[in-house]
Structures are given as C-alpha cells and as structure tokens.
Amino acid sequence: RQPGGYMQANLIIDQFIAQDRRNFQQEHQNCRYTSSESDEERCEVCGEVWVKPSKNSIVKSSGGMHNFMRSHGIRRQPGGYMQANLIIDQFIAQDRRNFQQEHQNCRYTSSESDEERCEVCGEVWVKPSKNSIVKSSGGMHNFMRSHGIRRQPGGYM
C-alpha cells in the first residue's frame, strides 16, 4: 500500500471545485455591461461610474469645432462636420472600452469565498461540498476507483 490515496482523491475534488468556479466566472464574464447604449455604466464591484462625455465637452476641450476639425485634418465643409462627429463618437466609444478594461478584474474580489454572485444577472455560484461530490460518485471508494486511485492508509484528508 502506498500512502496518500485519499489525499490524492481530495486534490482531485479540489480541482473539480476550482473548475466549477471558473466555469461560473466564464459564463458570467459578459454580464457586467448589460447596455452598450447607456449614458452611464457602473462597475458593480468597486462602484466606480463611467459617464458618457458629451460631444460638446470633447469639442470644447479642443477649443471649438473648427479647431477640432483642423487638428484632425478635416476641412470645413458639410461632409467635414459629419466626419468630425464620427471621430468624436469613436473617442467616446474608446473611453467606454478603456473603463471596461480597467474594471474587468473587479468582478471576483474573493477567490476563497464559498459563494459568488454575478453582480449583473444575480445568479449565484455556491461552492459544492466535497461530501456532495463524493456522494454523487457513490462514495469515496467509488470516487477513488473511478479516478484510478488505490485505497491506501492515511485516512481522509
């Protein structure tokens, strides 16, 4: 008999639990940003808020529309104003993407918690007990047998 069979079984169970948590996080990674058209977005974990800047505020920061157009190589003509507005829309969209990128790691604050809630859709992942995993396999000995682990002294770790 080799020592550590039960310990090996418990390590496999821990891996199952960790994978279950990662699956939950993967399923809910896109829940955070429910509306791409909203003028406000809140990081549900840290609470920071992104507010869509107005086109006027962007134009004013350049010293007016004509200065904005000039700084981007756009001529003052009817099609030029449309082009300037498209560039401003791209600036706003990039600002939102930057906010989302900065907060992508906020969602899961505690990797050791027994419960995790998706802050957007509300679904909850609850860490399964080792006992429930073992029972679903028909007991510890069946679990060990199905994973190629021999029963060995050392007790249940």
Side-chain angles (χ1 to χ4, degrees):
R1 292 186 171 193
Q2 300 173 8
Y6 293 102
M7 195 163 67
Q8 189 177 359
N10 277 297
L11 289 174
I12 291 171
I13 293 168
D14 288 340
Q15 290 172 349
F16 283 159
I17 292 171
Q19 184 59 52
D20 189 49
R21 178 184 222 121
R22 286 190 297 273
N23 290 344
F24 174 84
Q25 292 172 340
Q26 184 71 31
E27 288 172 16
H28 293 277
Q29 72 180 356
N30 295 321
C31 287
R32 176 182 304 284
Y33 308 110
T34 54
S35 171
S36 60
E37 299 305 313
S38 173
D39 287 348
E40 185 176 288
E41 192 165 299
R42 177 181 305 276
C43 176
E44 299 292 342
V45 178
C46 74
E48 188 173 335
V49 176
W50 173 83
V51 178
K52 179 179 179 178
S54 69
K55 287 185 178 187
N56 191 39
S57 69
I58 293 172
V59 168
K60 277 186 172 183
S61 70
S62 296
M65 180 59 93
H66 295 154
N67 284 338
F68 179 86
M69 291 171 70
R70 189 177 316 112
S71 69
H72 289 86
I74 302 169
R75 300 177 82 184
R76 287 176 27 185
Q77 55 191 25
Y81 291 96
M82 270 185 12
Q83 188 178 359
N85 276 300
L86 288 173
I87 291 173
I88 293 168
D89 289 340
Q90 291 171 349
F91 282 161
I92 292 170
Q94 185 60 49
D95 190 52
R96 176 184 225 122
R97 285 190 297 272
N98 291 344
F99 174 85
Q100 291 171 342
Q101 183 72 29
E102 289 170 16
H103 292 274
Q104 72 179 357
N105 295 321
C106 289
R107 176 181 299 285
Y108 306 110
T109 53
S110 172
S111 61
E112 298 305 314
S113 173
D114 286 348
E115 185 176 289
E116 195 163 297
R117 178 180 304 277
C118 176
E119 298 294 340
V120 178
C121 74
E123 188 173 333
V124 176
W125 171 83
V126 178
K127 179 179 179 179
S129 70
K130 288 184 179 184
N131 192 37
S132 68
I133 294 171
V134 169
K135 277 186 173 180
S136 70
S137 298
M140 180 60 93
H141 296 156
N142 285 338
F143 177 86
M144 291 171 67
R145 189 177 315 112
S146 68
H147 290 86
I149 302 169
R150 294 179 17 178
R151 288 178 22 192
Q152 299 154 1
Y156 295 91
M157 302 283 169

Coordinates of all heavy atoms in Angstrom, one line a residue, residues 98-149:
N98 N -12.1 51.7 -22.5 CA -11.0 51.9 -21.5 C -11.5 51.6 -20.1 O -10.9 51.0 -19.3 CB -10.3 53.2 -21.6 CG -9.5 53.4 -22.9 OD1 -9.2 52.5 -23.6 ND2 -9.3 54.7 -23.2
F99 N -12.7 52.2 -19.8 CA -13.3 52.0 -18.5 C -13.5 50.5 -18.2 O -13.2 50.0 -17.2 CB -14.6 52.8 -18.4 CG -15.4 52.5 -17.1 CD1 -15.1 53.2 -15.9 CD2 -16.4 51.5 -17.0 CE1 -15.8 53.0 -14.8 CE2 -17.1 51.3 -15.9 CZ -16.8 52.0 -14.7
Q100 N -14.1 49.8 -19.2 CA -14.4 48.4 -19.1 C -13.1 47.6 -18.9 O -13.1 46.7 -18.0 CB -15.2 47.9 -20.3 CG -16.6 48.4 -20.3 CD -17.3 48.1 -21.6 OE1 -16.7 47.7 -22.6 NE2 -18.6 48.3 -21.6
Q101 N -12.1 47.9 -19.6 CA -10.8 47.2 -19.5 C -10.2 47.4 -18.1 O -9.7 46.5 -17.5 CB -9.8 47.8 -20.6 CG -8.5 47.1 -20.6 CD -8.6 45.7 -21.1 OE1 -9.5 45.4 -21.9 NE2 -7.7 44.8 -20.7
E102 N -10.3 48.7 -17.6 CA -9.8 48.9 -16.3 C -10.5 48.2 -15.2 O -9.9 47.8 -14.1 CB -9.9 50.4 -15.9 CG -9.0 51.3 -16.7 CD -9.3 52.8 -16.6 OE1 -10.0 53.2 -15.6 OE2 -8.8 53.6 -17.4
H103 N -11.8 47.8 -15.4 CA -12.6 47.2 -14.3 C -12.9 45.7 -14.6 O -13.6 45.1 -13.9 CB -13.9 48.0 -14.2 CG -13.6 49.3 -13.6 ND1 -13.5 49.6 -12.2 CD2 -13.4 50.5 -14.2 CE1 -13.3 50.8 -12.0 NE2 -13.2 51.4 -13.2
Q104 N -12.2 45.1 -15.6 CA -12.5 43.7 -15.9 C -12.2 42.8 -14.8 O -12.7 41.7 -14.7 CB -11.9 43.3 -17.2 CG -10.4 43.2 -17.2 CD -9.8 42.7 -18.5 OE1 -10.6 42.5 -19.4 NE2 -8.5 42.6 -18.6
N105 N -11.2 43.2 -13.9 CA -10.8 42.3 -12.9 C -11.4 42.6 -11.5 O -11.1 42.0 -10.5 CB -9.3 42.3 -12.7 CG -8.6 41.8 -13.9 OD1 -9.0 40.8 -14.5 ND2 -7.5 42.4 -14.4
C106 N -12.4 43.5 -11.5 CA -13.0 43.9 -10.3 C -14.1 42.8 -9.8 O -14.3 42.7 -8.7 CB -13.8 45.2 -10.4 SG -12.7 46.7 -10.5
R107 N -14.6 42.1 -10.8 CA -15.8 41.3 -10.5 C -15.6 40.3 -9.4 O -16.4 40.1 -8.5 CB -16.2 40.5 -11.8 CG -17.3 39.6 -11.5 CD -17.8 38.8 -12.7 NE -18.3 39.6 -13.8 CZ -19.4 40.2 -13.8 NH1 -20.2 40.0 -12.7 NH2 -19.8 40.9 -14.8
Y108 N -14.5 39.6 -9.4 CA -14.3 38.5 -8.5 C -13.3 38.9 -7.4 O -12.1 38.7 -7.6 CB -13.8 37.2 -9.2 CG -14.8 36.9 -10.3 CD1 -14.5 37.0 -11.6 CD2 -16.1 36.5 -10.0 CE1 -15.4 36.8 -12.6 CE2 -17.0 36.3 -11.0 CZ -16.7 36.4 -12.3 OH -17.6 36.1 -13.3
T109 N -13.8 39.4 -6.3 CA -12.9 40.0 -5.3 C -12.3 39.0 -4.4 O -11.2 39.2 -3.9 CB -13.7 41.1 -4.5 OG1 -14.9 40.5 -4.0 CG2 -14.0 42.3 -5.4
S110 N -13.0 37.9 -4.1 CA -12.5 36.9 -3.2 C -12.5 35.6 -3.9 O -13.5 35.0 -4.2 CB -13.4 36.9 -1.9 OG -13.0 35.8 -1.2
S111 N -11.3 35.0 -4.1 CA -11.2 33.7 -4.7 C -11.3 32.6 -3.7 O -11.4 31.4 -4.1 CB -9.8 33.6 -5.4 OG -8.8 33.7 -4.4
E112 N -11.5 32.9 -2.4 CA -11.6 31.9 -1.4 C -13.0 31.8 -0.8 O -13.3 31.0 0.0 CB -10.6 32.1 -0.3 CG -9.1 32.0 -0.8 CD -8.8 30.7 -1.5 OE1 -9.2 29.6 -1.0 OE2 -8.2 30.8 -2.5
S113 N -13.9 32.6 -1.3 CA -15.3 32.6 -0.8 C -16.0 31.3 -1.2 O -15.7 30.7 -2.2 CB -16.0 33.8 -1.3 OG -17.4 33.8 -1.0
D114 N -17.0 31.0 -0.3 CA -17.8 29.8 -0.6 C -19.0 30.2 -1.5 O -19.8 29.3 -1.9 CB -18.3 29.1 0.7 CG -17.2 28.4 1.4 OD1 -16.1 28.2 0.8 OD2 -17.4 28.0 2.5
E115 N -19.2 31.4 -1.8 CA -20.3 31.9 -2.6 C -19.8 33.0 -3.5 O -19.0 33.9 -3.1 CB -21.4 32.3 -1.7 CG -22.7 32.7 -2.5 CD -23.8 33.0 -1.5 OE1 -24.4 32.1 -0.9 OE2 -24.2 34.2 -1.5
E116 N -20.4 33.1 -4.7 CA -20.0 34.2 -5.6 C -21.3 34.6 -6.4 O -22.0 33.7 -6.8 CB -18.9 33.7 -6.6 CG -18.2 34.8 -7.3 CD -16.9 34.3 -7.9 OE1 -16.0 33.9 -7.1 OE2 -16.8 34.3 -9.1
R117 N -21.5 35.9 -6.5 CA -22.7 36.3 -7.1 C -22.3 37.1 -8.4 O -21.5 38.0 -8.3 CB -23.6 37.2 -6.2 CG -24.8 37.8 -6.8 CD -25.6 38.6 -5.8 NE -25.9 37.9 -4.7 CZ -27.0 37.1 -4.6 NH1 -27.8 36.9 -5.6 NH2 -27.3 36.4 -3.4
C118 N -23.0 36.9 -9.5 CA -22.8 37.7 -10.7 C -23.6 39.0 -10.4 O -24.8 39.0 -10.1 CB -23.4 37.1 -11.9 SG -23.3 38.1 -13.4
E119 N -22.9 40.1 -10.3 CA -23.5 41.4 -9.9 C -24.5 41.9 -10.9 O -25.3 42.8 -10.5 CB -22.4 42.4 -9.6 CG -21.4 42.1 -8.5 CD -22.1 42.1 -7.2 OE1 -23.1 42.6 -7.0 OE2 -21.5 41.4 -6.3
V120 N -24.5 41.4 -12.1 CA -25.4 41.9 -13.1 C -26.7 41.1 -13.2 O -27.8 41.6 -13.0 CB -24.7 42.0 -14.5 CG1 -25.7 42.5 -15.5 CG2 -23.5 42.9 -14.4
C121 N -26.5 39.8 -13.4 CA -27.7 38.9 -13.5 C -28.2 38.3 -12.2 O -29.3 37.8 -12.1 CB -27.5 37.8 -14.6 SG -26.5 36.5 -14.0
G122 N -27.4 38.4 -11.2 CA -27.8 37.9 -9.9 C -27.6 36.4 -9.6 O -27.8 36.0 -8.5
E123 N -27.2 35.6 -10.6 CA -27.0 34.2 -10.4 C -25.9 34.0 -9.4 O -24.9 34.7 -9.3 CB -26.7 33.5 -11.7 CG -26.7 32.0 -11.6 CD -26.5 31.3 -12.9 OE1 -26.9 31.8 -13.9 OE2 -26.0 30.2 -12.9
V124 N -26.1 33.0 -8.6 CA -25.1 32.7 -7.5 C -24.5 31.3 -7.7 O -25.1 30.4 -8.1 CB -25.8 32.7 -6.1 CG1 -24.9 32.3 -5.0 CG2 -26.4 34.0 -5.9
W125 N -23.1 31.3 -7.6 CA -22.4 30.1 -7.6 C -22.1 29.8 -6.1 O -21.6 30.6 -5.4 CB -21.1 30.2 -8.3 CG -20.2 29.0 -8.2 CD1 -20.2 27.9 -8.9 CD2 -19.1 28.8 -7.3 NE1 -19.2 27.0 -8.5 CE2 -18.5 27.6 -7.5 CE3 -18.5 29.6 -6.2 CZ2 -17.5 27.1 -6.7 CZ3 -17.5 29.1 -5.5 CH2 -17.0 27.9 -5.7
V126 N -22.4 28.5 -5.7 CA -22.1 28.1 -4.3 C -21.1 27.0 -4.4 O -21.3 26.0 -5.2 CB -23.4 27.7 -3.6 CG1 -23.1 27.2 -2.2 CG2 -24.4 28.8 -3.6
K127 N -20.1 27.1 -3.6 CA -19.0 26.1 -3.6 C -19.7 24.8 -3.2 O -20.2 24.7 -2.1 CB -17.9 26.5 -2.7 CG -16.8 25.5 -2.6 CD -15.7 26.0 -1.6 CE -14.6 25.0 -1.4 NZ -13.6 25.6 -0.5
P128 N -19.5 23.7 -4.0 CA -20.1 22.4 -3.6 C -19.2 21.8 -2.5 O -18.0 22.1 -2.4 CB -20.0 21.6 -4.8 CG -19.0 22.2 -5.7 CD -19.0 23.7 -5.3
S129 N -19.9 21.1 -1.6 CA -19.1 20.4 -0.5 C -18.4 19.2 -1.1 O -18.8 18.6 -2.1 CB -20.0 20.0 0.6 OG -20.8 18.9 0.2
K130 N -17.2 18.9 -0.6 CA -16.5 17.7 -1.0 C -17.4 16.5 -0.9 O -17.4 15.6 -1.7 CB -15.2 17.5 -0.2 CG -14.1 18.5 -0.6 CD -12.8 18.2 0.1 CE -11.8 19.2 -0.3 NZ -10.5 18.9 0.3
N131 N -18.2 16.4 0.2 CA -19.0 15.3 0.5 C -20.1 15.1 -0.6 O -20.4 14.0 -1.0 CB -19.7 15.5 1.8 CG -20.4 14.3 2.3 OD1 -19.9 13.2 2.1 ND2 -21.6 14.4 2.9
S132 N -20.6 16.3 -1.2 CA -21.6 16.1 -2.2 C -21.0 15.6 -3.5 O -21.6 14.8 -4.2 CB -22.3 17.5 -2.5 OG -21.3 18.4 -3.1
I133 N -19.7 15.9 -3.7 CA -19.0 15.4 -4.9 C -18.8 13.9 -4.7 O -19.0 13.0 -5.6 CB -17.7 16.1 -5.2 CG1 -18.1 17.6 -5.6 CG2 -16.9 15.4 -6.2 CD1 -16.9 18.5 -5.7
V134 N -18.3 13.5 -3.5 CA -18.0 12.1 -3.2 C -19.3 11.3 -3.3 O -19.4 10.2 -3.9 CB -17.4 12.0 -1.9 CG1 -17.3 10.5 -1.4 CG2 -16.0 12.5 -1.9
K135 N -20.4 11.8 -2.7 CA -21.7 11.1 -2.7 C -22.2 10.9 -4.1 O -22.8 9.8 -4.5 CB -22.8 11.9 -1.9 CG -22.7 11.6 -0.4 CD -23.9 12.3 0.2 CE -23.9 11.9 1.7 NZ -25.1 12.6 2.4
S136 N -22.0 11.9 -5.0 CA -22.5 11.7 -6.4 C -21.8 10.6 -7.1 O -22.2 10.2 -8.2 CB -22.4 13.1 -7.1 OG -21.0 13.4 -7.4
S137 N -20.6 10.2 -6.6 CA -19.8 9.2 -7.2 C -20.1 7.8 -6.6 O -19.5 6.8 -6.9 CB -18.3 9.4 -7.1 OG -18.0 10.6 -7.8
G138 N -21.0 7.8 -5.6 CA -21.3 6.6 -4.9 C -20.4 6.3 -3.7 O -20.3 5.2 -3.2
G139 N -19.8 7.3 -3.2 CA -18.9 7.1 -2.0 C -17.4 7.3 -2.4 O -17.1 7.3 -3.5
M140 N -16.6 7.5 -1.3 CA -15.2 7.8 -1.5 C -14.5 6.7 -2.3 O -13.7 6.9 -3.2 CB -14.5 8.1 -0.2 CG -13.0 8.4 -0.3 SD -12.7 9.8 -1.3 CE -12.6 11.1 -0.1
H141 N -14.8 5.4 -1.9 CA -14.1 4.3 -2.6 C -14.4 4.3 -4.1 O -13.5 4.0 -4.9 CB -14.3 3.0 -1.9 CG -13.8 3.0 -0.5 ND1 -14.3 2.2 0.5 CD2 -12.8 3.8 0.1 CE1 -13.7 2.4 1.7 NE2 -12.8 3.4 1.4
N142 N -15.7 4.5 -4.4 CA -16.1 4.5 -5.8 C -15.4 5.7 -6.6 O -15.0 5.6 -7.7 CB -17.6 4.6 -6.0 CG -18.2 3.2 -5.7 OD1 -17.6 2.2 -5.8 ND2 -19.5 3.3 -5.4
F143 N -15.4 6.8 -5.9 CA -14.7 8.0 -6.5 C -13.3 7.7 -6.8 O -12.8 8.0 -7.9 CB -14.8 9.2 -5.5 CG -14.2 10.5 -6.0 CD1 -14.8 11.3 -6.9 CD2 -12.8 10.8 -5.7 CE1 -14.2 12.5 -7.4 CE2 -12.2 11.9 -6.2 CZ -12.9 12.7 -7.0
M144 N -12.6 7.1 -5.8 CA -11.2 6.8 -5.9 C -11.0 5.8 -7.1 O -10.1 6.0 -7.9 CB -10.6 6.3 -4.6 CG -10.5 7.4 -3.5 SD -10.1 6.8 -1.9 CE -8.4 6.2 -2.2
R145 N -11.8 4.8 -7.1 CA -11.7 3.8 -8.1 C -11.9 4.4 -9.5 O -11.2 4.1 -10.5 CB -12.7 2.6 -7.9 CG -12.5 1.4 -8.8 CD -13.5 0.3 -8.4 NE -13.7 0.0 -7.0 CZ -14.8 0.2 -6.3 NH1 -15.8 0.7 -6.9 NH2 -14.8 0.0 -5.1
S146 N -12.9 5.3 -9.7 CA -13.2 5.9 -11.0 C -12.1 6.8 -11.4 O -12.0 7.1 -12.6 CB -14.5 6.6 -10.9 OG -14.5 7.7 -10.1
H147 N -11.2 7.2 -10.5 CA -10.1 8.1 -10.9 C -8.8 7.4 -10.8 O -7.7 8.0 -10.8 CB -10.1 9.4 -10.0 CG -11.3 10.3 -10.3 ND1 -12.5 10.1 -9.8 CD2 -11.4 11.3 -11.2 CE1 -13.3 11.0 -10.3 NE2 -12.7 11.7 -11.2
G148 N -8.8 6.1 -10.7 CA -7.6 5.3 -10.8 C -6.7 5.4 -9.5 O -5.5 5.3 -9.6
I149 N -7.4 5.7 -8.4 CA -6.6 5.9 -7.1 C -6.8 4.6 -6.3 O -8.0 4.2 -6.0 CB -7.1 7.1 -6.4 CG1 -6.9 8.4 -7.3 CG2 -6.3 7.3 -5.1 CD1 -7.6 9.6 -6.7

